[in-house]
Amino acid sequence: MRAVGIEAMNVFAGTARVDVEKLAMHRGLDMTRFSNLLMKEKTVALPYEDPITFGVNAAKPLIDALSPEEKDRIEVVITCTESAFDFGKSMSTYFHNLLGLNRNCRLFELKNACYSGIAGLQTAINFILSDVSPGAKVLLVATDISRFMVEEGGEGLTEDWSFFEPSSGAGAVAALISEIPHVFQIDVGASGYYGYEVMDTCRPAPDKEAGDADLSLLSYLDCCEKAFLEYQKRVEGADLAGTFGYLAMHTPFGGMVKGAHRNIMRKIAKARPAEIEADFDRRVQPSLNYGQRVGNIMGASTLMAIASAIDHGDFSSSQRIGCFSYGSGCCSEFFSGVAGRDGQSKLRAQNIAAHLDRRYELTMQEYDELLVTNNTVKFGTRNVTLDPDFIPQARTTHGRPTLFLKEIKEFHREYDWVS
């Protein structure tokens, strides 16, 4: 079977964060319920950050590491998101331009709730496997942000926010997909997918999210079980407890992953509670480390879980990772791949944890002020100039050129590289 998968990948999660326990206390949430989120921090997108800045800042180190000849072999750019700011123009065109890629390139965007990142990954994998352009590479950028907005005086801070606010994050994962999968080699054909129509969550308007949290949880649990059973049917000898060294799952918040893991281990592996708890700590927790610090980044979430598993797991010998992606509405997929010591070293060279450490921690006062300022950049904003001095402590590059949104002129977004 031909080798194909992730040649290189990186995570970028902005420049500002909040401590979600402090936020939950600030909002007066039930702290006994909050503990079930298994969350520590979340990235907060500042007004001069958007899905483009997140995605470009994730991708740039990967592109800079390529030779001119290798860079010219990027023939497809796929954006995966539910945070696009235009109904027609693809954000992949901005990525293509800002990263200086070859113009002989396919540019398109996928929207499928939180499943979009894996839909893009599988699309890229199949392009490479088609062999229509031997040696070609695909740049995959999964990028999503959450923006909460209120009016002056705090109007809009209602109970409807509940636990959605502390779990919703912002960030991007960029990956190069090719026939030299240094970081993560896909098990070709080893995939089980499962989907049906359900109104669990949706975005009926660009800046509005709606849905039924309980229904979403039930749909997630159902899809996780059924997608794995389809994988098991297609992959001879697949065993939930024994086949995978690690599990990496779409992470709306850690508590949902823990519940899904408990459900499938009980139903499919027939494991007892103590076994399930130990298995969660050993095989699942490494994949949650980044999610617990960034929050739910929708289409990029499963890819970030894969990166977290590889960065934090023991890969002194190669390990197979079982991956589950879920997107509301819904579509899901269980697939797998293999990572090893060299891939872990290559990923660790990106210093993702150090990047997360450098984010500026917003005070609750700064965070509440930001919710008002967020009204300056809404979906459909035609003209605006962003204030670079808003929370200047966060606008830092730490020695690496970083892209920020400068202004919007007649709907076109213009950016600045800051060193």
Side-chain angles (χ1 to χ4, degrees):
M1 188 66 70
R2 281 186 57 195
V4 63
I6 298 175
E7 176 183 334
M9 70 189 308
N10 187 35
V11 175
F12 184 83
T15 58
R17 63 184 170 91
V18 293
D19 180 305
V20 294
E21 183 174 6
K22 293 177 182 176
L23 176 59
M25 294 176 67
H26 182 59
R27 293 284 182 257
L29 300 182
D30 180 348
M31 297 307 291
T32 58
R33 286 187 59 200
F34 170 79
S35 63
N36 294 327
L37 289 180
L38 299 183
M39 288 281 300
K40 298 176 181 178
E41 306 167 338
K42 75 164 193 168
T43 290
V44 179
L46 300 178
Y48 41 76
E49 296 179 311
D50 69 359
I52 301 298
T53 67
F54 278 78
V56 170
N57 289 325
K60 185 171 171 49
L62 309 183
I63 302 303
D64 287 349
L66 299 175
S67 69
E69 293 76 21
E70 290 172 324
K71 184 176 177 180
D72 278 349
R73 291 314 317 271
I74 297 175
E75 297 185 10
V76 183
V77 179
I78 306 175
T79 304
C80 311
T81 188
E82 58 181 83
S83 305
F85 44 76
D86 190 288
F87 285 125
K89 179 177 170 62
S90 168
M91 292 196 300
S92 62
T93 58
Y94 282 98
F95 294 129
H96 177 265
N97 176 56
L98 290 162
L99 294 167
L101 302 182
N102 190 331
R103 288 202 171 190
N104 300 120
C105 197
R106 286 192 178 114
L107 311 171
F108 62 94
E109 190 163 287
L110 294 176
K111 184 272 293 178
N112 203 318
C114 298
Y115 176 65
S116 64
I118 299 309
L121 174 65
Q122 295 292 5
T123 299
I125 293 296
N126 284 300
F127 170 73
I128 301 299
L129 288 174
S130 72
D131 215 23
V132 296
S133 184
K137 302 178 190 294
V138 177
L139 174 61
L140 177 72
V141 182
T143 180
D144 268 310
I145 67 172
S146 298
R147 284 202 200 277
F148 292 87
M149 301 180 188
V150 298
E151 302 300 328
E152 290 282 358
E155 189 72 25
L157 292 176
T158 69
E159 291 182 2
D160 292 340
W161 289 34
S162 62
F163 291 89
F164 178 64
E165 185 188 10
S167 63
S168 298
V173 178
L176 286 173
I177 314 302
S178 76
E179 57 194 20
I180 47 173
H182 298 311
V183 174
F184 186 60
Q185 180 170 334
I186 292 288
D187 291 328
V188 176
S191 184
Y193 23 89
Y194 189 77
Y196 50 89
E197 195 279 322
V198 60
M199 201 65 171
D200 56 337
T201 68
C202 65
R203 289 195 181 188
D207 298 319
K208 180 179 178 62
E209 185 141 354
D212 183 326
D214 292 335
L215 180 59
S216 189
L217 172 61
L218 292 173
S219 183
Y220 184 105
L221 295 177
D222 180 44
C223 284
C224 186
E225 177 186 353
K226 300 294 173 47
F228 176 75
L229 290 174
E230 180 64 19
Y231 175 97
Q232 191 175 51
K233 186 166 70 175
R234 295 179 180 219
V235 181
E236 185 177 356
D239 174 68
L240 180 63
T243 297
F244 313 103
Y246 294 97
L247 297 171
M249 304 164 73
H250 166 53
T251 309
F253 53 90
M256 183 176 280
V257 174
K258 188 167 189 176
H261 169 262
R262 181 173 57 244
N263 182 61
I264 59 174
M265 287 297 291
R266 186 176 65 244
K267 288 185 176 179
I268 297 174
K270 309 301 181 186
R272 297 181 179 277
E275 295 176 276
I276 294 172
E277 189 70 25
D279 188 75
F280 177 82
D281 291 340
R282 179 175 62 87
R283 291 201 298 167
V284 182
Q285 180 58 49
S287 74
L288 297 183
N289 287 346
Y290 289 156
Q292 288 179 307
R293 302 191 62 190
V294 176
N296 183 11
I297 53 173
M298 290 77 90
S301 173
T302 306
L303 290 166
M304 185 169 67
I306 293 170
S308 184
I310 295 172
D311 216 348
H312 295 93
D314 179 0
F315 289 88
S316 52
S317 60
S318 294
Q319 298 287 333
R320 175 160 281 105
I321 304 174
C323 310
F324 173 67
S325 176
Y326 173 82
S328 294
C330 70
C331 187
S332 66
E333 183 166 353
F334 191 100
F335 63 101
S336 61
V338 175
R341 180 185 300 169
D342 291 344
Q344 185 181 61
S345 296
K346 190 173 180 68
L347 181 64
R348 283 181 172 176
Q350 300 297 337
N351 294 316
I352 296 168
H355 155 59
L356 299 183
D357 290 341
R358 289 192 296 262
R359 293 169 302 164
Y360 173 73
E361 182 180 344
L362 298 167
T363 66
M364 290 300 99
Q365 180 180 346
E366 288 171 327
Y367 177 72
D368 283 343
E369 289 172 357
L370 173 64
L371 302 187
V372 176
T373 305
N374 278 340
N375 282 284
T376 61
V377 183
K378 295 182 178 180
F379 187 94
T381 296
R382 183 166 189 163
N383 292 288
V384 68
T385 298
L386 283 306
D387 179 8
D389 294 323
F390 180 75
I391 311 184
Q393 307 95 312
R395 191 183 170 97
T396 178
T397 65
H398 302 283
R400 173 183 286 184
T402 304
L403 190 74
F404 293 107
L405 177 62
K406 178 183 178 182
E407 60 184 329
I408 303 175
K409 295 173 65 175
E410 292 301 314
F411 303 114
H412 186 260
R413 297 197 173 205
E414 300 186 4
Y415 299 87
D416 263 347
W417 285 105
V418 179
S419 298

